[in-house]
């Protein structure tokens, strides 16, 4: 036994697509019938599952030689209490890293790519063979940690929600969201498909998609956007956020001037809901983990005091 510590090593995992299908259809045979009936390749689901579960088993066995290991599924993260001295290891896709970081007030996170042939792993700098030496280095504080700024939304009633990649503010359904936005010292009533607020880490995701669409539309309408304004990315540890309004609709009762901008100490940003029902705010694409945002409620969006710490 090579135990380095009696503190926990928390191994965070997620269900595979195959496991989610079995949960939905009760058995693997029924899941296979459904997928293949639609003309898709079920063997791809099986291969992904086998590679991922093998990686989890190897990671757990390797970590057990270094300390006490507790395995936590992503679905339990909102209710899991991390100890102040825990080391957290994520084995999974980039999204699992983002989902985990917002529940870690100070603990370093080691992210492992279980299947480099399948996942690019922008947030997954390590492979299974790196796990033991990296954990040793982290225990001995010999590894660099990259800080990641988080977004925070605060409601009038005291509720708070953090985001590692982005926040969505709008309607649960596809009908228009109605609200009043206060940006800097300017107020505007709007009707849109919702607002996205992005962190530096998330600026390569949803925000990039929105900007890419705007560039394509502008080009087709002969309003080309200069090259230096085409890339929305900004640093992971930036002290600001960027917001973008999706599909704003100008009318007698709604404007479309406050559409895109930077949120920082000099440019505060808040939104007051005018939606009688189904108004929501959720983070990092997890629609099931949301704040209700209905008529009269106000949300203040800002950089969070908490920061993520990704081991590199």
């Amino acid at each position: 036994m090579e135990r380095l510590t009696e503190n926990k090593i928390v191994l965070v995992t997620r269900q595979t697509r195959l496991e989610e299908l079995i949960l939905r259809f009760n058995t693997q045979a029924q899941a296979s019938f459904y997928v293949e009936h639609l003309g898709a390749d079920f063997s791809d689901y099986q291969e992904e599952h086998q590679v991922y579960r093998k990686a989890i088993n190897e990671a757990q066995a390797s970590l057990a030689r270094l300390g006490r290991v507790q395995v936590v599924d992503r679905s339990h993260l909102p209710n899991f209490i991390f100890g102040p001295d825990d080391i957290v290891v994520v084995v999974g896709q980039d999204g699992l890293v983002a989902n985990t970081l917002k529940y870690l007030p100070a603990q370093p996170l080691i992210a492992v790519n279980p299947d480099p042939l399948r996942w690019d792993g922008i947030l997954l700098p390590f492979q299974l063979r790196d796990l033991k030496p990296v954990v040793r280095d982290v225990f001995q504080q010999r590894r660099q940690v990259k800080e990641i700024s988080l977004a925070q939304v605060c409601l009038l009633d005291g509720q708070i929600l953090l985001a590692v990649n982005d926040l969505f503010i709008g309607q649960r359904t596809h009908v228009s969201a109605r609200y009043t936005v206060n940006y800097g010292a300017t107020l505007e009533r709007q009707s849109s498909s919702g607002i996205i607020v992005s962190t530096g880490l998330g600026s390569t995701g949803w925000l990039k998609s929105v900007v890419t669409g705007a560039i394509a539309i502008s080009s087709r309408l002969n309003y080309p956007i200069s090259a230096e304004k085409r890339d929305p990315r900004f640093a992971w540890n930036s002290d600001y956020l960027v917001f973008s309004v999706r599909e704003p609709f100008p009318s007698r009762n709604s404007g479309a001037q406050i559409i895109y901008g930077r949120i920082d100490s000099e440019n505060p940003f808040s939104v007051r809901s005018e939606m009688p029902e189904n108004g929501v705010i959720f983070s990092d694409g997890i629609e099931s983990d949301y704040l209700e945002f209905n008529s009269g409620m106000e949300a203040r969006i800002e950089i969070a005091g908490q920061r993520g710490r990704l081991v590199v």
Side-chain angles (χ1 to χ4, degrees):
M1 185 72 71
E2 312 170 47
R3 275 200 164 173
L4 300 175
T5 180
E6 291 304 311
N7 297 325
K8 292 198 308 291
I9 302 174
V10 181
L11 177 60
V12 182
T13 66
R14 58 165 295 167
Q15 289 186 325
T16 63
R17 291 184 302 161
L18 176 59
E19 288 169 327
E20 290 173 345
L21 281 172
I22 293 173
L23 190 63
R24 179 182 174 188
F25 293 104
N26 298 317
T27 69
Q28 182 168 320
Q30 288 177 308
S32 174
F33 175 80
Y34 173 80
V35 170
E36 293 181 344
H37 181 70
L38 295 176
D41 181 10
F42 189 70
S43 65
D44 184 58
Y45 292 79
Q46 293 173 307
E47 180 183 348
E48 177 191 330
H49 173 81
Q50 291 166 0
V51 170
Y52 183 67
R53 282 300 150 196
K54 183 174 182 288
I56 293 299
N57 291 337
E58 290 181 10
Q60 189 171 359
S62 178
L63 293 172
R65 299 186 183 98
L66 304 176
R68 296 184 298 120
V69 180
Q70 183 168 359
V71 181
V72 178
D73 183 78
R74 177 174 69 170
S75 61
H76 298 142
L77 285 175
N79 300 313
F80 185 79
I81 305 298
F82 288 92
D85 298 317
D86 288 350
I87 296 294
V88 183
V89 177
V90 165
V91 178
Q93 299 159 253
D94 287 334
L96 185 58
V97 176
N99 293 159
T100 305
L101 275 173
K102 63 184 176 184
Y103 298 107
L104 302 179
Q107 298 87 344
L109 186 149
I110 301 168
V112 176
N113 190 338
D115 193 353
L117 295 179
R118 184 180 292 269
W119 313 119
D120 292 335
I122 296 173
L123 301 180
L124 306 168
F126 304 114
Q127 296 186 26
L128 284 168
R129 63 175 178 268
D130 305 317
L131 197 48
K132 286 176 67 175
V134 170
V135 171
R136 286 196 188 96
D137 286 348
V138 170
F139 273 121
Q140 296 167 4
Q141 298 184 340
R142 294 192 311 212
R143 276 277 168 179
Q144 288 187 337
V145 175
K146 192 165 187 175
E147 288 201 337
I148 297 173
S149 299
L150 275 61
Q152 174 177 282
V153 56
C154 304
L155 299 187
L156 279 179
D157 62 4
Q159 294 186 84
I160 294 176
L161 182 67
L162 296 175
V164 177
N165 285 321
D166 39 52
L167 292 163
F168 172 79
I169 306 166
Q171 271 275 356
R172 184 195 299 275
T173 61
H174 291 288
V175 301
S176 295
R178 294 185 177 274
Y179 52 86
T180 297
V181 63
N182 187 343
Y183 179 50
T186 306
L187 287 170
E188 184 174 69
R189 296 184 72 192
Q190 293 185 348
S191 175
S192 75
S193 297
I195 304 171
I196 296 167
V197 179
S198 177
T199 66
L201 183 62
S203 62
T204 58
W206 205 348
L207 180 66
K208 181 180 179 181
S209 175
V210 170
V211 172
T212 300
I215 290 170
I217 293 171
S218 297
S219 298
R220 293 299 297 269
L221 294 175
N222 294 320
Y223 294 105
I225 297 174
S226 59
E228 66 270 16
K229 295 182 179 180
R230 288 172 176 260
D231 191 347
R233 293 177 297 175
F234 54 105
W236 291 2
N237 62 348
S238 296
D239 60 355
Y240 65 91
L241 308 167
V242 169
F243 75 90
S244 178
V245 177
R246 300 172 64 212
E247 302 171 329
F249 183 76
S251 69
R252 291 181 179 179
N253 297 312
S254 58
Q257 297 299 312
I258 306 174
I259 301 303
Y260 186 91
R262 174 169 164 162
I263 303 170
D264 54 28
S265 58
E266 296 181 358
N267 299 285
F269 187 85
S270 63
V271 184
R272 185 175 291 274
S273 175
E274 297 180 8
M275 296 172 278
E277 59 182 357
N278 293 325
V280 295
I281 302 176
F282 62 80
S283 65
D284 301 324
I286 308 298
E287 297 184 28
S288 58
D289 184 15
Y290 66 90
L291 301 178
E292 290 189 357
F293 189 55
N294 296 322
S295 293
M297 183 58 70
E298 183 174 322
R300 185 179 75 253
I301 294 90
E302 59 196 4
I303 282 281
Q306 174 180 326
R307 288 199 167 205
R309 302 179 68 229
L310 184 65
V311 176
V312 294

